[in-house]
Structures are given as structure tokens and as C-alpha cells.
Amino acid sequence: QKEVEQNSGPLSVPEGAIASLNCTYSDRGSQSFFWYRQYSGKSPELIMSIYSNGDKEDGRFTAQLNKASQYVSLLIRDSQPSDSATYLCAVNGRPSGGYQKVTFGIGTKLQVIP
Amino acid sequence: GAVVSQHPSWVICKSGTSVKIECRSLDFQATTMFWYRQFPKQSLMLMATSNEGSKATYEQGVEKDKFLINHASLTLSTLTVTSAHPEDSSFYICSASFRPEAFFGQGTRLTVV
């Protein structure tokens, strides 16, 4: 079982719709959860962090965390063509060897259709 | 967010030569930095974890003698690709942890001809 699982997509949504991206993780002791956006040919950029159960909203983005189900999601409201990118789910697990390693999922490619 | 600077952004080198990539944390001290490689249309693959003042920890399958990592200070880690070959052509990205979050450098696109 992979540590962080995502559907690679592509996920296609029409402009203005809600895009829902999902992620599950295997380490129940994971403490921090992140969503990164990666445009083609660029490095990932952090768009959301979430640390406790529930929802966290930032503009058009809402991250949702359910530790009991080991599930984290990202909702993008009013999707725009500029949101088309690969979205990486990342989990910061328990410290090992003196540091915490951020583990990334494979990423979900989102296509917003004008 | 914290700023991580990576240099160069792109490099073309001849087969058999070595290339050094620098990763700097500009506004924070990074005890640990991470090096990733990403091939086209594939996900990030962790190559190694760079620890300041000690030897890097390499992921399984990554040749430590080929990918030399030096973390000489709390703000600088370098990755040297030795005796580069065309199959080493890839997008190399570093990241550093600031509190629980990881921030990425701009990436280096390496092309070996």
C-alpha cells in the first residue's frame, strides 16, 4: 500500500464548477497535511495546509481532513482555467531519524474546461 | 511562506561531465533539505535527504556515488551529478522544511547531451 494515494486523473470540470480532489494516507500517526499545486514544467507550490479535523477555507480553496478515515480532500470552488495543474497531496509523518519527511502522492491532474 | 532558491534553473552538459546544483534557504535555517527528481509526466521521486553536518540519506535505488550531496551549512545544500549520462536528464527539485511545511526551490532542468 502506498503511503499517500491519489487518483492520477485527469479530472475534468467545466469552468465555474467545483473541483473535488481526494487523497488517502496510510500512517495513522501523520500530523500535518498539505496540498501543493504544480504547473507543467514548474516546481510545486504550497496552497493549503491543514492540521486538525474539519474544514479549512482560504479563498476559493477548502481543505478537509478526516483523521479517523485517513482522508484529506481539496475543494476548488468556481474553478478557472488557470487552476488547471497537477495537485499533489502531501503528508508529514512521524519523526524518523531525527527529522520529519514529507511524503507526496502521485498527484491528480485537473483540467478546467472553458 | 519561506523562500528556497535553487540554481541554476536549467543546464545542458556533455555526457561524462559533472554538474552541481545549489539549493539555498533564504530566510530560514534548514537543518534538513530534500532532493527530488521528476521525469516528464511522472510524480516527484525523493532521491535523498540532506542533513546539515552529516551524510545524506539516500532512497533505495539511488546511487550515492553518482549523486553527491553536501549540506555544508544550515542554508545551503548541493547536489552534484557526477559523470552525467543522457538518462540522468530530468527535472531536479530541492525542498526544505520550515516548521511542518515543505517549500520548494524553482527546480533545475538538466539535459545531458
Short mmCIF file of all heavy atoms in Angstrom, two decimals, chain B residues 6-13 17-24 35 66-72 76-84 92 108-110:
data_model
loop_
_atom_site.label_atom_id
_atom_site.label_comp_id
_atom_site.label_asym_id
_atom_site.label_seq_id
_atom_site.Cartn_x
_atom_site.Cartn_y
_atom_site.Cartn_z
N GLN B 6 16.93 27.89 -5.85
CA GLN B 6 17.69 26.81 -6.47
C GLN B 6 18.37 27.35 -7.72
O GLN B 6 17.78 28.11 -8.49
CB GLN B 6 16.76 25.65 -6.83
CG GLN B 6 17.45 24.39 -7.29
CD GLN B 6 16.47 23.24 -7.46
OE1 GLN B 6 15.37 23.24 -6.90
NE2 GLN B 6 16.86 22.25 -8.24
N HIS B 7 19.61 26.93 -7.92
CA HIS B 7 20.40 27.45 -9.05
C HIS B 7 21.31 26.37 -9.61
O HIS B 7 21.90 25.61 -8.83
CB HIS B 7 21.25 28.63 -8.55
CG HIS B 7 22.12 29.21 -9.59
ND1 HIS B 7 21.67 30.12 -10.54
CD2 HIS B 7 23.43 28.99 -9.88
CE1 HIS B 7 22.66 30.45 -11.33
NE2 HIS B 7 23.74 29.79 -10.95
N PRO B 8 21.43 26.22 -10.90
CA PRO B 8 20.79 27.02 -11.94
C PRO B 8 19.38 26.52 -12.24
O PRO B 8 18.99 25.45 -11.77
CB PRO B 8 21.71 26.78 -13.15
CG PRO B 8 22.21 25.39 -12.94
CD PRO B 8 22.36 25.23 -11.45
N SER B 9 18.63 27.27 -13.01
CA SER B 9 17.29 26.86 -13.40
C SER B 9 17.33 25.79 -14.49
O SER B 9 16.44 24.94 -14.56
CB SER B 9 16.49 28.07 -13.91
OG SER B 9 16.36 29.03 -12.90
N TRP B 10 18.32 25.90 -15.35
CA TRP B 10 18.48 24.87 -16.37
C TRP B 10 19.96 24.76 -16.72
O TRP B 10 20.72 25.72 -16.60
CB TRP B 10 17.64 25.18 -17.61
CG TRP B 10 17.93 26.48 -18.26
CD1 TRP B 10 17.35 27.68 -18.00
CD2 TRP B 10 18.91 26.72 -19.29
NE1 TRP B 10 17.89 28.65 -18.80
CE2 TRP B 10 18.85 28.09 -19.61
CE3 TRP B 10 19.81 25.91 -19.97
CZ2 TRP B 10 19.66 28.66 -20.58
CZ3 TRP B 10 20.62 26.48 -20.93
CH2 TRP B 10 20.54 27.85 -21.22
N VAL B 11 20.35 23.61 -17.13
CA VAL B 11 21.75 23.39 -17.52
C VAL B 11 21.81 22.29 -18.57
O VAL B 11 21.08 21.30 -18.49
CB VAL B 11 22.61 23.05 -16.28
CG1 VAL B 11 22.10 21.82 -15.55
CG2 VAL B 11 24.07 22.89 -16.64
N ILE B 12 22.67 22.51 -19.54
CA ILE B 12 22.96 21.50 -20.55
C ILE B 12 24.42 21.12 -20.41
O ILE B 12 25.28 22.00 -20.34
CB ILE B 12 22.69 22.04 -21.97
CG1 ILE B 12 21.23 22.49 -22.11
CG2 ILE B 12 23.02 20.98 -23.03
CD1 ILE B 12 20.92 23.18 -23.41
N CYS B 13 24.70 19.85 -20.32
CA CYS B 13 26.09 19.44 -20.18
C CYS B 13 26.38 18.25 -21.08
O CYS B 13 25.47 17.56 -21.55
CB CYS B 13 26.40 19.08 -18.73
SG CYS B 13 25.65 17.56 -18.15
N THR B 17 30.47 14.58 -17.99
CA THR B 17 30.86 15.70 -17.13
C THR B 17 30.00 15.70 -15.87
O THR B 17 29.04 14.94 -15.75
CB THR B 17 30.71 17.04 -17.85
OG1 THR B 17 29.34 17.23 -18.23
CG2 THR B 17 31.58 17.07 -19.11
N SER B 18 30.37 16.57 -14.92
CA SER B 18 29.63 16.68 -13.65
C SER B 18 28.92 18.01 -13.58
O SER B 18 29.39 19.02 -14.11
CB SER B 18 30.59 16.52 -12.48
OG SER B 18 31.15 15.23 -12.47
N VAL B 19 27.81 18.02 -12.90
CA VAL B 19 27.00 19.23 -12.76
C VAL B 19 26.64 19.41 -11.29
O VAL B 19 26.22 18.46 -10.63
CB VAL B 19 25.70 19.12 -13.59
CG1 VAL B 19 24.79 20.30 -13.31
CG2 VAL B 19 26.01 19.01 -15.06
N LYS B 20 26.80 20.65 -10.81
CA LYS B 20 26.45 20.94 -9.42
C LYS B 20 25.22 21.82 -9.38
O LYS B 20 25.13 22.83 -10.09
CB LYS B 20 27.59 21.64 -8.70
CG LYS B 20 27.27 21.98 -7.23
CD LYS B 20 28.36 22.79 -6.56
CE LYS B 20 29.52 21.94 -6.18
NZ LYS B 20 30.50 22.68 -5.34
N ILE B 21 24.27 21.46 -8.53
CA ILE B 21 23.04 22.23 -8.33
C ILE B 21 23.02 22.70 -6.88
O ILE B 21 23.26 21.92 -5.97
CB ILE B 21 21.80 21.36 -8.62
CG1 ILE B 21 21.86 20.80 -10.05
CG2 ILE B 21 20.53 22.16 -8.41
CD1 ILE B 21 20.81 19.73 -10.33
N GLU B 22 22.71 23.99 -6.69
CA GLU B 22 22.68 24.56 -5.35
C GLU B 22 21.25 24.82 -4.88
O GLU B 22 20.40 25.22 -5.68
CB GLU B 22 23.45 25.88 -5.31
CG GLU B 22 24.93 25.75 -5.50
CD GLU B 22 25.66 27.07 -5.26
OE1 GLU B 22 24.97 28.11 -5.14
OE2 GLU B 22 26.90 27.05 -5.19
N CYS B 23 21.04 24.63 -3.62
CA CYS B 23 19.74 24.89 -3.01
C CYS B 23 19.97 25.69 -1.74
O CYS B 23 20.70 25.24 -0.85
CB CYS B 23 19.05 23.57 -2.69
SG CYS B 23 17.42 23.73 -1.93
N ARG B 24 19.37 26.86 -1.68
CA ARG B 24 19.56 27.74 -0.53
C ARG B 24 18.23 28.11 0.11
O ARG B 24 17.26 28.42 -0.58
CB ARG B 24 20.26 29.04 -0.94
CG ARG B 24 21.67 28.89 -1.42
CD ARG B 24 22.29 30.22 -1.82
NE ARG B 24 23.62 30.05 -2.36
CZ ARG B 24 24.73 30.00 -1.65
NH1 ARG B 24 24.66 30.15 -0.33
NH2 ARG B 24 25.91 29.83 -2.22
N TRP B 35 16.04 16.27 -1.78
CA TRP B 35 16.26 16.35 -3.22
C TRP B 35 15.34 15.37 -3.93
O TRP B 35 15.27 14.19 -3.56
CB TRP B 35 17.72 16.04 -3.55
CG TRP B 35 18.64 17.14 -3.15
CD1 TRP B 35 19.36 17.26 -2.00
CD2 TRP B 35 18.94 18.31 -3.92
NE1 TRP B 35 20.08 18.42 -2.00
CE2 TRP B 35 19.84 19.08 -3.16
CE3 TRP B 35 18.54 18.78 -5.18
CZ2 TRP B 35 20.35 20.30 -3.62
CZ3 TRP B 35 19.05 19.98 -5.63
CH2 TRP B 35 19.94 20.73 -4.86
N LYS B 66 27.04 8.54 -7.37
CA LYS B 66 26.74 9.29 -8.58
C LYS B 66 26.10 10.64 -8.25
O LYS B 66 26.35 11.63 -8.91
CB LYS B 66 25.80 8.49 -9.48
CG LYS B 66 25.46 9.20 -10.78
CD LYS B 66 24.70 8.30 -11.72
CE LYS B 66 24.43 9.04 -13.02
NZ LYS B 66 25.69 9.40 -13.71
N PHE B 67 25.27 10.63 -7.24
CA PHE B 67 24.57 11.84 -6.82
C PHE B 67 25.14 12.26 -5.46
O PHE B 67 24.69 11.80 -4.41
CB PHE B 67 23.06 11.59 -6.75
CG PHE B 67 22.45 11.20 -8.06
CD1 PHE B 67 22.18 9.87 -8.35
CD2 PHE B 67 22.15 12.17 -9.02
CE1 PHE B 67 21.62 9.50 -9.57
CE2 PHE B 67 21.59 11.81 -10.24
CZ PHE B 67 21.33 10.48 -10.51
N LEU B 68 26.12 13.15 -5.53
CA LEU B 68 26.81 13.57 -4.31
C LEU B 68 26.08 14.74 -3.67
O LEU B 68 25.81 15.74 -4.33
CB LEU B 68 28.26 13.97 -4.64
CG LEU B 68 29.12 12.88 -5.29
CD1 LEU B 68 30.52 13.42 -5.56
CD2 LEU B 68 29.19 11.64 -4.43
N ILE B 69 25.78 14.60 -2.41
CA ILE B 69 25.06 15.65 -1.70
C ILE B 69 25.92 16.16 -0.57
O ILE B 69 26.49 15.39 0.21
CB ILE B 69 23.71 15.12 -1.18
CG1 ILE B 69 22.78 14.85 -2.36
CG2 ILE B 69 23.08 16.11 -0.21
CD1 ILE B 69 21.49 14.16 -1.98
N ASN B 70 26.00 17.50 -0.50
CA ASN B 70 26.74 18.15 0.57
C ASN B 70 25.85 19.20 1.21
O ASN B 70 25.25 20.02 0.53
CB ASN B 70 28.01 18.80 0.00
CG ASN B 70 28.87 19.39 1.08
OD1 ASN B 70 28.52 20.39 1.71
ND2 ASN B 70 30.00 18.77 1.34
N HIS B 71 25.75 19.15 2.52
CA HIS B 71 24.92 20.12 3.25
C HIS B 71 25.85 20.82 4.22
O HIS B 71 25.89 20.50 5.41
CB HIS B 71 23.80 19.37 3.96
CG HIS B 71 22.68 20.24 4.42
ND1 HIS B 71 21.38 19.80 4.48
CD2 HIS B 71 22.66 21.53 4.85
CE1 HIS B 71 20.61 20.77 4.94
NE2 HIS B 71 21.36 21.82 5.18
N ALA B 72 26.61 21.77 3.70
CA ALA B 72 27.71 22.36 4.46
C ALA B 72 27.26 23.36 5.51
O ALA B 72 27.97 23.60 6.49
CB ALA B 72 28.68 23.04 3.49
N LEU B 76 22.49 25.97 2.95
CA LEU B 76 22.95 25.55 1.63
C LEU B 76 23.14 24.04 1.56
O LEU B 76 23.81 23.44 2.38
CB LEU B 76 24.28 26.23 1.29
CG LEU B 76 24.96 25.77 -0.01
CD1 LEU B 76 24.11 26.11 -1.22
CD2 LEU B 76 26.35 26.41 -0.12
N SER B 77 22.52 23.45 0.54
CA SER B 77 22.76 22.06 0.20
C SER B 77 23.06 22.00 -1.29
O SER B 77 22.48 22.75 -2.08
CB SER B 77 21.54 21.20 0.52
OG SER B 77 21.74 19.86 0.09
N THR B 78 23.99 21.14 -1.67
CA THR B 78 24.32 20.99 -3.09
C THR B 78 24.17 19.54 -3.52
O THR B 78 24.42 18.62 -2.74
CB THR B 78 25.75 21.46 -3.39
OG1 THR B 78 26.68 20.67 -2.64
CG2 THR B 78 25.92 22.92 -3.05
N LEU B 79 23.74 19.39 -4.75
CA LEU B 79 23.64 18.08 -5.39
C LEU B 79 24.56 18.10 -6.60
O LEU B 79 24.42 18.96 -7.47
CB LEU B 79 22.21 17.79 -5.83
CG LEU B 79 22.00 16.59 -6.76
CD1 LEU B 79 22.29 15.29 -6.04
CD2 LEU B 79 20.57 16.57 -7.31
N THR B 80 25.52 17.17 -6.65
CA THR B 80 26.40 17.07 -7.80
C THR B 80 26.11 15.76 -8.53
O THR B 80 26.18 14.69 -7.92
CB THR B 80 27.88 17.10 -7.38
OG1 THR B 80 28.14 18.33 -6.69
CG2 THR B 80 28.79 17.02 -8.60
N VAL B 81 25.73 15.89 -9.78
CA VAL B 81 25.52 14.72 -10.63
C VAL B 81 26.84 14.43 -11.31
O VAL B 81 27.31 15.22 -12.13
CB VAL B 81 24.42 14.97 -11.68
CG1 VAL B 81 24.16 13.70 -12.50
CG2 VAL B 81 23.13 15.43 -11.02
N THR B 82 27.48 13.34 -10.93
CA THR B 82 28.81 13.03 -11.46
C THR B 82 28.70 12.14 -12.69
O THR B 82 27.79 11.31 -12.80
CB THR B 82 29.66 12.33 -10.40
OG1 THR B 82 29.05 11.08 -10.07
CG2 THR B 82 29.78 13.18 -9.14
N SER B 83 29.63 12.35 -13.62
CA SER B 83 29.67 11.55 -14.84
C SER B 83 28.26 11.40 -15.42
O SER B 83 27.75 10.29 -15.57
CB SER B 83 30.29 10.18 -14.55
OG SER B 83 30.47 9.46 -15.75
N ALA B 84 27.69 12.54 -15.72
CA ALA B 84 26.29 12.55 -16.16
C ALA B 84 26.13 11.83 -17.50
O ALA B 84 26.99 11.89 -18.37
CB ALA B 84 25.79 13.98 -16.25
N TYR B 92 15.27 18.34 -11.51
CA TYR B 92 15.71 18.11 -10.14
C TYR B 92 15.19 19.25 -9.26
O TYR B 92 15.37 20.43 -9.59
CB TYR B 92 17.24 18.03 -10.07
CG TYR B 92 17.79 16.81 -10.75
CD1 TYR B 92 18.05 16.81 -12.12
CD2 TYR B 92 18.04 15.64 -10.04
CE1 TYR B 92 18.54 15.68 -12.76
CE2 TYR B 92 18.53 14.51 -10.68
CZ TYR B 92 18.77 14.54 -12.04
OH TYR B 92 19.24 13.42 -12.66
N THR B 108 15.66 22.55 -11.26
CA THR B 108 16.73 22.63 -12.25
C THR B 108 16.46 21.59 -13.33
O THR B 108 16.35 20.41 -13.03
CB THR B 108 18.11 22.35 -11.62
OG1 THR B 108 18.38 23.33 -10.63
CG2 THR B 108 19.20 22.35 -12.68
N ARG B 109 16.35 22.08 -14.55
CA ARG B 109 16.15 21.14 -15.65
C ARG B 109 17.51 20.80 -16.23
O ARG B 109 18.20 21.66 -16.77
CB ARG B 109 15.25 21.74 -16.73
CG ARG B 109 14.87 20.73 -17.80
CD ARG B 109 13.64 21.15 -18.58
NE ARG B 109 12.47 21.37 -17.75
CZ ARG B 109 11.72 20.41 -17.23
NH1 ARG B 109 12.01 19.13 -17.45
NH2 ARG B 109 10.66 20.70 -16.50
N LEU B 110 17.90 19.56 -16.07
CA LEU B 110 19.20 19.08 -16.55
C LEU B 110 19.02 18.31 -17.84
O LEU B 110 18.21 17.37 -17.90
CB LEU B 110 19.87 18.19 -15.50
CG LEU B 110 21.12 17.43 -15.95
CD1 LEU B 110 22.24 18.40 -16.29
CD2 LEU B 110 21.57 16.46 -14.86
#
